[in-house]
Amino acid sequence: MIRIINNASIRQAEQLLAAGELVALPTETVYGLAADAYNETAVQKIFMAKGRPNFNPLITHVADIAMAERHVEIGPLARSLMENFWPGPLTLVLPRHADSLVAPTAYAGLPFLALRQPQGIILELTRRLNRPLVAPSANKSGFLSTTTAQAVAQAFEAPLALILDGGPCCVGVESTILKIDQQERVYLLRAGGLALDRIEALIKKPIITTLPLKQAIEAPGMLTSHYAPRKEIRINATYVQKGELLLAFGPQRIRGYAEAVKIINLSRTGDLDEAANRLFEALRELDQNAAGQVIVVEPVPLEGLGLAINDRLQRAAAPRKQ
Ligand code: TXA
Ligand code: MG
């Protein structure tokens, strides 16, 4: 059931979460499917609802750095990242304390825990409950993330007890995930809503973006086919054919655009933040448009949030393993 955010629906969310039930809610990045991070049964319900493989761990959302500190080892570099970018679209994967109360299913038994302090109603709920909430993106595993309450409602076959409706998310793509090792080397596990140049300006060293395969597997959001629409999708397109659906970017159109049965422009001015904000809704709309069977996507520059946009598009275009 979709409910606008107000005192009564916030109280209902609090009660459901405290009782070990799931609540879908907006974060500044995408909608999440939240559960009490300490409740093993509740965490398992997330994996069931999403059809998520149990080796793919969840992000733990905390109220503040002090709450994070109860669960992970925070070195000077991680602390500085938290102080500068939290609350916000940055997740840090850090060594987990053995006595962390987070349910083992949430971190898939790994010695590391992924943490972020989010913005919005989810942050308010971690404060009210005085405990962390785990929340993956609110979609079936392998499909498009959701940025509106209506898209969440459509994404799950079994109705969710409560979807808090906070309107469209403001960032539109998931958080950037970094892993920091003992030597304070910084690895990119997932490009996301916080641009790498902003992070590098703070830490004054390059982020390592080419992961050995073994480490890449540690963030299965990085597995090839993900964020997939049902239709065929062709990225970095240079032409459009008759009857295709066009996902455009910027003021210039590619060859044959007039043949497209539908055009959605991610940003007419070529603004990458605006494009990220519209990405998942635009893909969903084209996927549901019966007039065409192929989605072609114009090139999006590989800078700023363009990294996250290209990452999601590549995974959306990758062949599905069914
Ligand atoms: O913006 C976001 O991050 C959203 C909102 C709801 O917070 N959440 C989100 O969660 O995108 P999810 O579950 O869709 O993606 C979480 C990613 C997965 O790719 C997972 O593999 C990675 O985080 N992850 C979680 N724990 C990890 C760990 N201990 N080590 C490495 N990667 C981890
Ligand atoms: Mg996801």
Side-chain angles (χ1 to χ4, degrees), residues 13-15 20-21 24 26 33-35 49 65 71 74 110 114 127 137 149 164 182-183 205 213 267 274 309-310 316:
E14 199 180 338
Q15 283 161 1
E21 299 300 331
L33 186 60
I65 299 179
H71 303 283
I74 305 176
L110 296 169
R127 288 187 175 138
S137 51
L164 288 179
Q182 306 291 0
Q183 287 77 43
K205 59 179 171 185
L213 186 63
S267 169
E274 181 183 33
I309 296 171
N310 276 286

PDB file of all heavy atoms in Angstrom, residues 13-15 20-21 24 26 33-35 49 65 71 74 110 114 127 137 149 164 182-183 205 213 267 274 309-310 316:
ATOM      1  N   ALA A  13       5.432   2.917   9.655  1.00  0.00           N
ATOM      2  CA  ALA A  13       6.708   2.374   9.175  1.00  0.00           C
ATOM      3  C   ALA A  13       7.562   1.918  10.354  1.00  0.00           C
ATOM      4  O   ALA A  13       8.152   0.828  10.345  1.00  0.00           O
ATOM      5  CB  ALA A  13       7.453   3.433   8.362  1.00  0.00           C
ATOM      6  N   GLU A  14       7.605   2.750  11.376  1.00  0.00           N
ATOM      7  CA  GLU A  14       8.397   2.438  12.568  1.00  0.00           C
ATOM      8  C   GLU A  14       7.904   1.143  13.218  1.00  0.00           C
ATOM      9  O   GLU A  14       8.701   0.265  13.575  1.00  0.00           O
ATOM     10  CB  GLU A  14       8.249   3.619  13.533  1.00  0.00           C
ATOM     11  CG  GLU A  14       9.307   3.690  14.573  1.00  0.00           C
ATOM     12  CD  GLU A  14       9.108   4.884  15.513  1.00  0.00           C
ATOM     13  OE1 GLU A  14       8.431   5.873  15.139  1.00  0.00           O
ATOM     14  OE2 GLU A  14       9.628   4.806  16.632  1.00  0.00           O
ATOM     15  N   GLN A  15       6.579   1.021  13.320  1.00  0.00           N
ATOM     16  CA  GLN A  15       6.010  -0.179  13.947  1.00  0.00           C
ATOM     17  C   GLN A  15       6.284  -1.428  13.114  1.00  0.00           C
ATOM     18  O   GLN A  15       6.651  -2.481  13.647  1.00  0.00           O
ATOM     19  CB  GLN A  15       4.500  -0.010  14.138  1.00  0.00           C
ATOM     20  CG  GLN A  15       4.174   0.893  15.319  1.00  0.00           C
ATOM     21  CD  GLN A  15       2.755   1.444  15.272  1.00  0.00           C
ATOM     22  OE1 GLN A  15       1.982   1.131  14.358  1.00  0.00           O
ATOM     23  NE2 GLN A  15       2.414   2.276  16.249  1.00  0.00           N
ATOM     24  N   GLY A  20       9.723  -6.509  12.560  1.00  0.00           N
ATOM     25  CA  GLY A  20      10.428  -7.421  11.650  1.00  0.00           C
ATOM     26  C   GLY A  20       9.819  -7.492  10.260  1.00  0.00           C
ATOM     27  O   GLY A  20      10.088  -8.433   9.506  1.00  0.00           O
ATOM     28  N   GLU A  21       9.008  -6.481   9.897  1.00  0.00           N
ATOM     29  CA  GLU A  21       8.424  -6.454   8.548  1.00  0.00           C
ATOM     30  C   GLU A  21       9.239  -5.519   7.648  1.00  0.00           C
ATOM     31  O   GLU A  21      10.049  -4.724   8.123  1.00  0.00           O
ATOM     32  CB  GLU A  21       6.968  -5.971   8.608  1.00  0.00           C
ATOM     33  CG  GLU A  21       6.047  -6.863   9.438  1.00  0.00           C
ATOM     34  CD  GLU A  21       5.969  -8.289   8.901  1.00  0.00           C
ATOM     35  OE1 GLU A  21       6.140  -8.475   7.678  1.00  0.00           O
ATOM     36  OE2 GLU A  21       5.752  -9.211   9.713  1.00  0.00           O
ATOM     37  N   ALA A  24       9.074  -0.302   2.121  1.00  0.00           N
ATOM     38  CA  ALA A  24       9.740   0.358   0.991  1.00  0.00           C
ATOM     39  C   ALA A  24       9.679   1.851   1.223  1.00  0.00           C
ATOM     40  O   ALA A  24       8.651   2.371   1.668  1.00  0.00           O
ATOM     41  CB  ALA A  24       9.063  -0.015  -0.322  1.00  0.00           C
ATOM     42  N   PRO A  26      11.679   5.977   0.177  1.00  0.00           N
ATOM     43  CA  PRO A  26      12.637   6.700  -0.665  1.00  0.00           C
ATOM     44  C   PRO A  26      13.934   6.979   0.088  1.00  0.00           C
ATOM     45  O   PRO A  26      13.918   7.169   1.300  1.00  0.00           O
ATOM     46  CB  PRO A  26      11.912   8.015  -0.960  1.00  0.00           C
ATOM     47  CG  PRO A  26      11.010   8.227   0.211  1.00  0.00           C
ATOM     48  CD  PRO A  26      10.599   6.856   0.677  1.00  0.00           C
ATOM     49  N   LEU A  33      14.253  -1.099  -0.022  1.00  0.00           N
ATOM     50  CA  LEU A  33      13.350  -2.018   0.676  1.00  0.00           C
ATOM     51  C   LEU A  33      14.012  -2.299   2.023  1.00  0.00           C
ATOM     52  O   LEU A  33      14.978  -3.052   2.101  1.00  0.00           O
ATOM     53  CB  LEU A  33      13.183  -3.302  -0.147  1.00  0.00           C
ATOM     54  CG  LEU A  33      12.172  -4.310   0.366  1.00  0.00           C
ATOM     55  CD1 LEU A  33      10.769  -3.694   0.431  1.00  0.00           C
ATOM     56  CD2 LEU A  33      12.152  -5.551  -0.538  1.00  0.00           C
ATOM     57  N   ALA A  34      13.475  -1.654   3.077  1.00  0.00           N
ATOM     58  CA  ALA A  34      14.194  -1.614   4.347  1.00  0.00           C
ATOM     59  C   ALA A  34      13.730  -2.678   5.338  1.00  0.00           C
ATOM     60  O   ALA A  34      12.572  -3.087   5.337  1.00  0.00           O
ATOM     61  CB  ALA A  34      14.037  -0.226   4.976  1.00  0.00           C
ATOM     62  N   ALA A  35      14.682  -3.101   6.189  1.00  0.00           N
ATOM     63  CA  ALA A  35      14.384  -3.994   7.306  1.00  0.00           C
ATOM     64  C   ALA A  35      15.328  -3.668   8.459  1.00  0.00           C
ATOM     65  O   ALA A  35      16.405  -3.093   8.247  1.00  0.00           O
ATOM     66  CB  ALA A  35      14.574  -5.458   6.891  1.00  0.00           C
ATOM     67  N   ALA A  49      11.862 -11.471  -0.994  1.00  0.00           N
ATOM     68  CA  ALA A  49      11.030 -10.545  -1.776  1.00  0.00           C
ATOM     69  C   ALA A  49      11.723 -10.143  -3.075  1.00  0.00           C
ATOM     70  O   ALA A  49      11.084  -9.978  -4.110  1.00  0.00           O
ATOM     71  CB  ALA A  49      10.704  -9.308  -0.947  1.00  0.00           C
ATOM     72  N   ILE A  65      27.892   8.740  12.306  1.00  0.00           N
ATOM     73  CA  ILE A  65      29.199   8.065  12.353  1.00  0.00           C
ATOM     74  C   ILE A  65      29.323   7.236  13.634  1.00  0.00           C
ATOM     75  O   ILE A  65      29.882   6.138  13.625  1.00  0.00           O
ATOM     76  CB  ILE A  65      30.347   9.096  12.241  1.00  0.00           C
ATOM     77  CG1 ILE A  65      30.246   9.841  10.900  1.00  0.00           C
ATOM     78  CG2 ILE A  65      31.711   8.407  12.363  1.00  0.00           C
ATOM     79  CD1 ILE A  65      31.315  10.915  10.693  1.00  0.00           C
ATOM     80  N   HIS A  71      29.983  -0.913  14.387  1.00  0.00           N
ATOM     81  CA  HIS A  71      29.952  -2.076  13.503  1.00  0.00           C
ATOM     82  C   HIS A  71      31.210  -2.292  12.688  1.00  0.00           C
ATOM     83  O   HIS A  71      31.491  -3.394  12.258  1.00  0.00           O
ATOM     84  CB  HIS A  71      28.743  -1.979  12.574  1.00  0.00           C
ATOM     85  CG  HIS A  71      27.473  -1.861  13.336  1.00  0.00           C
ATOM     86  ND1 HIS A  71      26.890  -2.943  13.946  1.00  0.00           N
ATOM     87  CD2 HIS A  71      26.722  -0.788  13.656  1.00  0.00           C
ATOM     88  CE1 HIS A  71      25.816  -2.536  14.599  1.00  0.00           C
ATOM     89  NE2 HIS A  71      25.689  -1.233  14.440  1.00  0.00           N
ATOM     90  N   ILE A  74      36.951   2.187  11.595  1.00  0.00           N
ATOM     91  CA  ILE A  74      36.997   3.404  10.774  1.00  0.00           C
ATOM     92  C   ILE A  74      38.369   4.056  10.883  1.00  0.00           C
ATOM     93  O   ILE A  74      38.719   4.621  11.917  1.00  0.00           O
ATOM     94  CB  ILE A  74      35.907   4.416  11.207  1.00  0.00           C
ATOM     95  CG1 ILE A  74      34.520   3.740  11.168  1.00  0.00           C
ATOM     96  CG2 ILE A  74      35.920   5.650  10.309  1.00  0.00           C
ATOM     97  CD1 ILE A  74      33.387   4.632  11.671  1.00  0.00           C
ATOM     98  N   LEU A 110      30.634 -12.115   5.079  1.00  0.00           N
ATOM     99  CA  LEU A 110      31.939 -11.515   4.758  1.00  0.00           C
ATOM    100  C   LEU A 110      32.519 -10.774   5.969  1.00  0.00           C
ATOM    101  O   LEU A 110      31.774 -10.329   6.841  1.00  0.00           O
ATOM    102  CB  LEU A 110      31.788 -10.513   3.603  1.00  0.00           C
ATOM    103  CG  LEU A 110      31.355 -11.068   2.245  1.00  0.00           C
ATOM    104  CD1 LEU A 110      30.984  -9.936   1.288  1.00  0.00           C
ATOM    105  CD2 LEU A 110      32.473 -11.926   1.651  1.00  0.00           C
ATOM    106  N   ALA A 114      29.184  -3.038   4.386  1.00  0.00           N
ATOM    107  CA  ALA A 114      28.966  -1.836   3.577  1.00  0.00           C
ATOM    108  C   ALA A 114      28.022  -0.915   4.343  1.00  0.00           C
ATOM    109  O   ALA A 114      26.939  -1.328   4.750  1.00  0.00           O
ATOM    110  CB  ALA A 114      28.361  -2.216   2.228  1.00  0.00           C
ATOM    111  N   ARG A 127      17.066   6.927  13.219  1.00  0.00           N
ATOM    112  CA  ARG A 127      17.152   7.687  14.482  1.00  0.00           C
ATOM    113  C   ARG A 127      16.044   7.281  15.433  1.00  0.00           C
ATOM    114  O   ARG A 127      16.279   7.037  16.610  1.00  0.00           O
ATOM    115  CB  ARG A 127      17.050   9.181  14.197  1.00  0.00           C
ATOM    116  CG  ARG A 127      18.303   9.702  13.531  1.00  0.00           C
ATOM    117  CD  ARG A 127      18.269  11.218  13.414  1.00  0.00           C
ATOM    118  NE  ARG A 127      19.528  11.694  12.873  1.00  0.00           N
ATOM    119  CZ  ARG A 127      19.639  12.644  11.959  1.00  0.00           C
ATOM    120  NH1 ARG A 127      18.570  13.258  11.501  1.00  0.00           N
ATOM    121  NH2 ARG A 127      20.825  13.013  11.520  1.00  0.00           N
ATOM    122  N   SER A 137      18.154  -1.697  -3.143  1.00  0.00           N
ATOM    123  CA  SER A 137      17.227  -0.985  -4.013  1.00  0.00           C
ATOM    124  C   SER A 137      15.916  -1.784  -4.091  1.00  0.00           C
ATOM    125  O   SER A 137      15.917  -3.016  -4.078  1.00  0.00           O
ATOM    126  CB  SER A 137      17.848  -0.806  -5.392  1.00  0.00           C
ATOM    127  OG  SER A 137      18.328  -2.044  -5.893  1.00  0.00           O
ATOM    128  N   ALA A 149       7.429   5.823  -5.951  1.00  0.00           N
ATOM    129  CA  ALA A 149       6.641   4.846  -5.184  1.00  0.00           C
ATOM    130  C   ALA A 149       5.813   3.966  -6.127  1.00  0.00           C
ATOM    131  O   ALA A 149       5.643   2.763  -5.880  1.00  0.00           O
ATOM    132  CB  ALA A 149       5.733   5.586  -4.202  1.00  0.00           C
ATOM    133  N   LEU A 164       6.332   3.974   1.464  1.00  0.00           N
ATOM    134  CA  LEU A 164       6.271   5.403   1.793  1.00  0.00           C
ATOM    135  C   LEU A 164       6.564   6.200   0.526  1.00  0.00           C
ATOM    136  O   LEU A 164       7.575   5.959  -0.142  1.00  0.00           O
ATOM    137  CB  LEU A 164       7.292   5.762   2.873  1.00  0.00           C
ATOM    138  CG  LEU A 164       6.990   5.279   4.294  1.00  0.00           C
ATOM    139  CD1 LEU A 164       8.118   5.704   5.233  1.00  0.00           C
ATOM    140  CD2 LEU A 164       5.644   5.807   4.793  1.00  0.00           C
ATOM    141  N   GLN A 182      43.619  -1.975   4.334  1.00  0.00           N
ATOM    142  CA  GLN A 182      44.461  -1.660   5.504  1.00  0.00           C
ATOM    143  C   GLN A 182      45.488  -0.578   5.191  1.00  0.00           C
ATOM    144  O   GLN A 182      45.848   0.231   6.045  1.00  0.00           O
ATOM    145  CB  GLN A 182      45.200  -2.916   5.999  1.00  0.00           C
ATOM    146  CG  GLN A 182      44.317  -4.107   6.294  1.00  0.00           C
ATOM    147  CD  GLN A 182      43.432  -3.894   7.505  1.00  0.00           C
ATOM    148  OE1 GLN A 182      43.475  -2.839   8.131  1.00  0.00           O
ATOM    149  NE2 GLN A 182      42.603  -4.880   7.839  1.00  0.00           N
ATOM    150  N   GLN A 183      45.973  -0.566   3.940  1.00  0.00           N
ATOM    151  CA  GLN A 183      46.965   0.442   3.531  1.00  0.00           C
ATOM    152  C   GLN A 183      46.293   1.747   3.090  1.00  0.00           C
ATOM    153  O   GLN A 183      46.950   2.615   2.530  1.00  0.00           O
ATOM    154  CB  GLN A 183      47.840  -0.090   2.384  1.00  0.00           C
ATOM    155  CG  GLN A 183      48.857  -1.155   2.790  1.00  0.00           C
ATOM    156  CD  GLN A 183      48.229  -2.530   2.996  1.00  0.00           C
ATOM    157  OE1 GLN A 183      47.393  -2.954   2.195  1.00  0.00           O
ATOM    158  NE2 GLN A 183      48.594  -3.201   4.078  1.00  0.00           N
ATOM    159  N   LYS A 205      44.283  11.500  -3.791  1.00  0.00           N
ATOM    160  CA  LYS A 205      44.964  10.389  -4.474  1.00  0.00           C
ATOM    161  C   LYS A 205      43.944   9.714  -5.368  1.00  0.00           C
ATOM    162  O   LYS A 205      42.732   9.861  -5.155  1.00  0.00           O
ATOM    163  CB  LYS A 205      45.575   9.403  -3.480  1.00  0.00           C
ATOM    164  CG  LYS A 205      44.614   8.764  -2.520  1.00  0.00           C
ATOM    165  CD  LYS A 205      45.395   7.800  -1.646  1.00  0.00           C
ATOM    166  CE  LYS A 205      44.552   7.274  -0.488  1.00  0.00           C
ATOM    167  NZ  LYS A 205      45.321   6.453   0.425  1.00  0.00           N
ATOM    168  N   LEU A 213      39.386  -9.534 -10.828  1.00  0.00           N
ATOM    169  CA  LEU A 213      38.064 -10.159 -10.902  1.00  0.00           C
ATOM    170  C   LEU A 213      37.547 -10.614  -9.548  1.00  0.00           C
ATOM    171  O   LEU A 213      36.401 -10.404  -9.187  1.00  0.00           O
ATOM    172  CB  LEU A 213      38.105 -11.350 -11.868  1.00  0.00           C
ATOM    173  CG  LEU A 213      36.748 -11.981 -12.139  1.00  0.00           C
ATOM    174  CD1 LEU A 213      35.816 -10.979 -12.811  1.00  0.00           C
ATOM    175  CD2 LEU A 213      36.897 -13.222 -13.007  1.00  0.00           C
ATOM    176  N   SER A 267      18.496  14.579 -20.763  1.00  0.00           N
ATOM    177  CA  SER A 267      18.754  15.989 -20.439  1.00  0.00           C
ATOM    178  C   SER A 267      19.006  16.742 -21.738  1.00  0.00           C
ATOM    179  O   SER A 267      20.007  16.497 -22.409  1.00  0.00           O
ATOM    180  CB  SER A 267      19.958  16.130 -19.511  1.00  0.00           C
ATOM    181  OG  SER A 267      20.320  17.497 -19.436  1.00  0.00           O
ATOM    182  N   GLU A 274      21.113  15.763 -14.140  1.00  0.00           N
ATOM    183  CA  GLU A 274      19.713  15.647 -14.553  1.00  0.00           C
ATOM    184  C   GLU A 274      19.477  14.300 -15.247  1.00  0.00           C
ATOM    185  O   GLU A 274      18.471  13.627 -15.025  1.00  0.00           O
ATOM    186  CB  GLU A 274      19.354  16.792 -15.511  1.00  0.00           C
ATOM    187  CG  GLU A 274      17.911  16.749 -15.960  1.00  0.00           C
ATOM    188  CD  GLU A 274      17.555  17.846 -16.965  1.00  0.00           C
ATOM    189  OE1 GLU A 274      18.432  18.235 -17.768  1.00  0.00           O
ATOM    190  OE2 GLU A 274      16.413  18.303 -16.951  1.00  0.00           O
ATOM    191  N   ILE A 309      25.944   6.393 -14.965  1.00  0.00           N
ATOM    192  CA  ILE A 309      24.931   6.196 -16.011  1.00  0.00           C
ATOM    193  C   ILE A 309      25.413   5.139 -17.008  1.00  0.00           C
ATOM    194  O   ILE A 309      24.679   4.207 -17.341  1.00  0.00           O
ATOM    195  CB  ILE A 309      24.645   7.530 -16.750  1.00  0.00           C
ATOM    196  CG1 ILE A 309      24.042   8.549 -15.775  1.00  0.00           C
ATOM    197  CG2 ILE A 309      23.725   7.305 -17.948  1.00  0.00           C
ATOM    198  CD1 ILE A 309      23.926   9.960 -16.342  1.00  0.00           C
ATOM    199  N   ASN A 310      26.662   5.253 -17.456  1.00  0.00           N
ATOM    200  CA  ASN A 310      27.192   4.278 -18.409  1.00  0.00           C
ATOM    201  C   ASN A 310      27.280   2.878 -17.809  1.00  0.00           C
ATOM    202  O   ASN A 310      27.013   1.888 -18.490  1.00  0.00           O
ATOM    203  CB  ASN A 310      28.570   4.724 -18.917  1.00  0.00           C
ATOM    204  CG  ASN A 310      28.452   5.705 -20.072  1.00  0.00           C
ATOM    205  OD1 ASN A 310      28.116   5.321 -21.188  1.00  0.00           O
ATOM    206  ND2 ASN A 310      28.680   6.978 -19.793  1.00  0.00           N
ATOM    207  N   ALA A 316      22.452  -2.987 -18.274  1.00  0.00           N
ATOM    208  CA  ALA A 316      21.107  -3.154 -18.837  1.00  0.00           C
ATOM    209  C   ALA A 316      21.188  -3.797 -20.220  1.00  0.00           C
ATOM    210  O   ALA A 316      20.298  -4.535 -20.631  1.00  0.00           O
ATOM    211  CB  ALA A 316      20.412  -1.801 -18.928  1.00  0.00           C
TER     212      ALA A 316
END
